[in-house]
Amino acid sequence: MEGPPKVKIRKPTGIFIVCGLVFLNFGLYQFIQDFMAMRNAEVETPVIITALIIGLDVLCALSAIWALLGDNAGRISMLAFLSLNMLWSVFVLIFAISKAEKDAAGYYDASIFVFGFSLLKPLFLLGLSWWYFTQQNVVAYYKQDNNYGLF
């Protein structure tokens, strides 16, 4: 004998907002920003680094679309790629600070600090994404049609 039919959980509105922000900021905007930075760089960027940077941007955008479609694996991959993208950015910031040299007047280049402050918006968005996509009602929405058995 079957039990009562399960009630389908509606997609929370915040999924549209957070996935849209992730797609625009970590995908599209960061892709254009990274592409222009590599194009205008004084030194040619190695192919492996280029593939890593562009790949992370594209994967963040694609995983945001996948999460928007309602797949639990898309939610998990979006959080993973966002975290990897921020980890890479923090690594680049630490590397830039460690290689910074003082100019003739004894000051450091201000672009390092501008880059550091430019990471505040992505850090906020990363925190917002982790907070929202781990809420109980959002996880319940994603797990209602989970056929993988792993997540």
Side-chain angles (χ1 to χ4, degrees):
M1 191 161 111
E2 283 187 40
K6 283 188 167 184
V7 177
K8 186 132 173 103
I9 302 171
R10 283 186 46 221
K11 184 180 288 192
T13 308
I15 290 177
F16 295 106
I17 296 167
V18 176
C19 285
L21 287 172
V22 166
F23 178 80
L24 291 174
N25 287 300
F26 277 97
L28 191 61
Y29 174 74
Q30 192 147 356
F31 175 79
I32 293 169
Q33 186 179 11
D34 290 340
F35 180 76
M36 295 306 289
M38 286 186 281
R39 185 174 178 216
N40 297 332
E42 295 174 6
V43 180
E44 187 175 336
T45 308
V47 174
I48 294 175
I49 301 297
T50 303
L52 178 70
I53 293 170
I54 299 299
L56 275 174
D57 297 340
V58 169
L59 288 172
C60 279
L62 292 177
S63 63
I65 293 170
W66 191 10
L68 184 64
L69 294 176
D71 197 355
N72 192 38
R75 174 185 71 94
I76 293 169
S77 69
M78 185 183 76
L79 293 174
F81 287 128
L82 284 177
S83 300
L84 285 173
N85 204 333
M86 277 309 303
L87 189 65
W88 174 256
S89 298
V90 169
F91 169 74
V92 169
L93 177 64
I94 291 170
F95 184 75
I97 290 172
S98 70
K99 295 293 183 181
E101 296 179 3
K102 292 183 179 180
D103 60 4
Y107 297 107
Y108 289 102
D109 186 16
S111 64
I112 295 170
F113 300 107
V114 170
F115 177 65
F117 284 117
S118 71
L119 290 181
L120 292 178
K121 182 179 75 169
L123 276 172
F124 171 75
L125 189 56
L126 176 69
L128 175 72
S129 299
W130 269 98
W131 169 78
Y132 186 75
F133 281 103
T134 55
Q135 283 188 345
Q136 189 175 13
N137 64 333
V138 176
V139 172
Y141 164 74
Y142 278 106
K143 288 192 173 188
Q144 71 183 345
D145 292 328
N146 187 7
N147 298 326
Y148 301 117
L150 299 173
F151 309 113

